Amino acid sequence: MSSETKNILIGLAGQQNAGKSTMFNMLTGATQHIANYPGVTIDKKVGSYRDDEGRVEIVDLPGTYSLTSYSLEERVARDFLLQETPHAIVNVIDASSLRRGLYFTFQVLEMSFPVVMALNMVDVAEANGRKVDHEKLSQLLGVKVIPTVGRKKRGKGELRQAIRETVNEKGSQDPGERFQVFYEELEEKVVAITSLLGASGTMSEALPLRWLAVKLLEGDSEARRIVQQQHQEAEAVLGSVDAAIQSFQDEMDISPADHIVSCRDRLAASIVEQCVEVSAVHTVRTSEKIDRVLLHRGLAPIFLVLTVYLIYELSIVQGYKLTFLTWPALAWVRATVAGFLPDPGLLQDTILRTLPLWMMDSVNTLLNYVPVFLILFALIAILEDSGYMARIAFILDRVFQSFGLHGQSTLPFILGGVFTGGCAVPGIMATKGIPDERSRLATILTVPYMNCLAKIPLYTLLVNIYFTAHKSYVMLFISTITIIMAMIVAKLLTSTILYGRETAPFVMEMPNYHMPTMTGVLRRAFDRTWIYIKKVGTIVVAVAICVYVLLQFPGLPEDRMAHYEQQMDGAIAGFQQDIQGTAYADILQHEDRILQLLNISATYREAKLAASTQEASRAVDVRYEAKHPELFPLLRPRDAEARSVSRSLRSLANERSNLRGQIREETIVHSYFGRVGRALEPVTQYAGFDWKINVALISSFAARESSVATLGVLFQEGVDENITLEERMERESEAGGRTPLHALALMLFFALYPPCLATTIMVKVQTGSYKWMLFSIAFPTVFGLAVVSGVFTLGSLFNVSGIQAMGIFYVAALATAIVLSLMEDPAWKRQRSNIVGTKEA
């Protein structure tokens, strides 16, 4: 046998919830990896195994209900079959829902591929009183049918053997003997279109013509595009197709697409009747019993809230506690890297030190979410494998559909912080399971509107200053206005710029409940987390450098830097005066030596804090004493003179730390971002923002928490630094005329503000596009500024208070959302006529 036939490529195809992922894991074991299909963000799982004849590579295709062009998943699966031309297809089908699964099987068979059917979950079917005669099914379909139970690895050897035999027998079957669906009154037109397509020699060699003819009669847009690109007489062929569609519809009063579905459904029912023995007609299936409770009109929302709360609690709340274990490890890596970089300067560090550490900090911030993601992805895998994820989509799809979203948008919004305390990064990561491309993009772009934990410090600050008498009302406003605005934005986006994106008819399937396997859940959690780590690593460097440049350059003016150097010189002179007459005065008479001591002292303290045991602490002492014998007595003073010098050193170190902090914060003010803040004042004044608020908002792009830190620096000039930021801002508010209306405008803009750096990176990762990443920054900025300017300007014009403006805006936003929800989605209306549901007999 030739080497070409020994190494083979197999496509693993089937509908969602048929156990396809479990079957993939059963066949390939640990030899698998995950990438993306070219040009899209859909997972491409590839695995392999070896049999007696060679290597078998298996590609796990996206789970789809059909091979139309409605959704991105369907198109990806179909393009793989047409372009990669695998040696055979393993069609995974749920034995307990055979009739529904055969609808997909017929389409694969029409593509003329050698097919092996993995009749999965036969144990579930038998438990439900349905025994499938796989030999009879094999005879009717003309393919090998192997009964399997993927989660128990039953049928693994037989399936591998059938795959190899089917590939070896490829081409031996007479084309006239292949299975095909007979389309009754439409059959004549199918044959005629097939003949027209066959006139193109190149097309007949590259594509299954009967399948293409059926797709054309269904009105498939991708099939028409293929004809336009590859057929010499495309216009004539498509004209004949349009005429055939119109003729059939006039004669039969039904569209060819609906007729094709009906023919397939009747054939599936006939095959089920011949192959399935029902032993317990009146037995209610276990899944149906469970659904009577979980999908009960009154109980369903309760169970949904409990499920979402459990996911939120375990992944975000409890998972975040694990970051206290991972962060020391990440900090150790950072410290190790810092040890190889140039030493810190007295007041400023070189770019060779600051830039690598800036990138390390950016990477560490994202990697610190890994424990959260591991738990989150494991829980999502459990929901998917158990069958409850489909129920979540069913419960909420009607509401979300009104705004152009999808039932599976629920989890991303919850993780993003629907009320308060979430994080947009895992929220956006959770959008991967949304099958509708338009809804998925809309969800990605609106999840950042949720109340992530990092926004809470600013909200708390402003509420405690301006709304002390209405705290409860304001917190309710903050907790709910974000979801209202997210729904409004989602409706606007899906009705405008996302209007032409791929939309999928919401085909609701209620799969049987299954017990997830530990291996499958853990493998998927680790695979998805590893994808996150790899993709973040390739993007974060470029973005971090851009932010670094914009926040750090051009640096402080010479006069300001001279001011800080003068203060530092004075502090050093005071230190040297304090230690005069001691044994260490000669050692520390030069500034370079003092700087060395300050740096060594800082690293020594960090090492001592990191030492978790007495032995480790003693090892730190031994290491530093051996490396710095002259200076070590000042690190761990034992006599009165050394303790006195050590106290003076701590005072100097504190003064140096304060000056370095002031320089860093003032650098932001004079940076390109800071200049932008001043330049934006003519525009932002209509929202009540001056340059200080602009700088705080711009600096918070790197991390939301930095907004309060920046305000703390900007509002300290000319007042006692020992009083709280609330008191400092209150004083400036009285002097500068800031009112609760200003605070409302700032809170509202912060809610609508562009996502932080980590979230924008995740937008790029999930969309695969820098265009959408930039849009996620630009659109919320323009939209938020327009909304807030309107609120502040009108509030000032009519002289309403901050709390009054808040109430008026809330009512207006809620009314707008209700009106938009009542407007029918044109895209959904366009596709509704093509949706025909099938129900298990």
Side-chain angles (χ1 to χ4, degrees), residues 172-248:
S172 62
Q173 187 180 26
D174 188 335
E177 297 177 359
R178 290 175 182 165
F179 174 89
Q180 65 181 36
V181 181
F182 181 73
Y183 290 109
E184 302 169 1
E185 292 87 352
L186 188 64
E187 184 65 29
E188 181 180 346
K189 290 179 170 47
V190 172
V191 173
I193 300 300
T194 303
S195 178
L196 285 174
L197 294 172
S200 171
T202 56
M203 205 167 207
S204 59
E205 294 176 2
L207 295 165
L209 299 185
R210 179 178 172 85
W211 168 83
L212 186 59
V214 172
K215 285 295 158 192
L216 288 170
L217 290 169
E218 283 182 323
D220 190 289
S221 59
E222 286 294 306
R224 296 180 70 91
R225 184 184 60 80
I226 290 173
V227 172
Q228 289 172 342
Q229 290 180 347
Q230 300 188 24
H231 203 287
Q232 298 91 331
E233 300 181 8
E235 291 189 11
V237 172
L238 294 179
S240 299
V241 170
D242 293 337
I245 293 174
Q246 188 61 49
S247 171
F248 183 84

Side-chain angles (χ1 to χ4, degrees), residues 286-321:
T286 303
S287 292
E288 293 179 7
K289 293 179 181 178
I290 297 174
D291 278 340
R292 288 178 180 178
V293 178
L294 295 185
L295 296 184
H296 185 274
R297 184 181 298 272
L299 298 177
I302 297 175
F303 284 112
L304 174 60
V305 170
L306 290 175
T307 300
V308 170
Y309 171 78
L310 186 62
I311 292 173
Y312 175 81
E313 176 69 23
L314 292 177
S315 62
I316 302 297
V317 178
Q318 302 302 324
Y320 187 77
K321 293 179 180 178

Side-chain angles (χ1 to χ4, degrees), residues 499-549:
Y499 177 77
R501 290 276 163 175
E502 293 285 349
T503 58
F506 189 68
V507 182
M508 178 46 59
E509 171 204 0
M510 290 300 169
N512 293 315
Y513 288 101
H514 304 290
M515 183 63 69
T517 63
M518 181 67 70
T519 302
V521 169
L522 292 179
R523 176 169 287 158
R524 207 175 316 169
F526 280 107
D527 284 345
R528 291 175 176 176
T529 304
W530 180 239
I531 290 175
Y532 164 78
I533 293 173
K534 288 193 298 184
K535 289 184 176 179
V536 162
T538 59
I539 297 170
V540 68
V541 173
V543 177
I545 290 175
C546 292
V547 175
Y548 174 85
V549 171

Side-chain angles (χ1 to χ4, degrees), residues 655-706:
E655 179 65 17
R656 177 202 185 198
S657 178
N658 290 334
L659 291 175
R660 285 171 66 93
Q662 292 176 35
I663 290 172
R664 283 195 299 269
E665 299 297 346
E666 194 170 336
T667 298
I668 294 176
V669 177
H670 291 279
S671 68
Y672 295 119
F673 267 162
R675 295 179 180 183
V676 170
R678 292 184 181 276
L680 287 175
E681 269 193 330
V683 177
T684 61
Q685 64 178 335
Y686 298 104
F689 303 159
D690 59 14
W691 74 270
K692 291 184 177 181
I693 300 299
N694 292 344
V695 170
L697 290 171
I698 293 173
S699 68
S700 71
F701 172 73
R704 286 287 179 264
E705 299 91 334
S706 64

Side-chain angles (χ1 to χ4, degrees), residues 104-115 141-143 178-180:
F104 179 82
T105 303
F106 295 156
Q107 297 176 70
V108 177
L109 289 171
E110 281 185 331
M111 298 185 78
S112 302
F113 282 104
V115 173
L141 296 177
V143 301
R178 290 175 182 165
F179 174 89
Q180 65 181 36

Side-chain angles (χ1 to χ4, degrees), residues 622-643:
V622 171
R623 186 170 71 251
Y624 272 80
E625 186 172 13
K627 193 173 181 180
H628 309 286
E630 285 186 312
L631 299 177
F632 183 75
L634 297 177
L635 303 180
R636 190 172 176 82
R638 291 184 172 88
D639 56 72
E641 189 176 62
R643 283 194 290 270

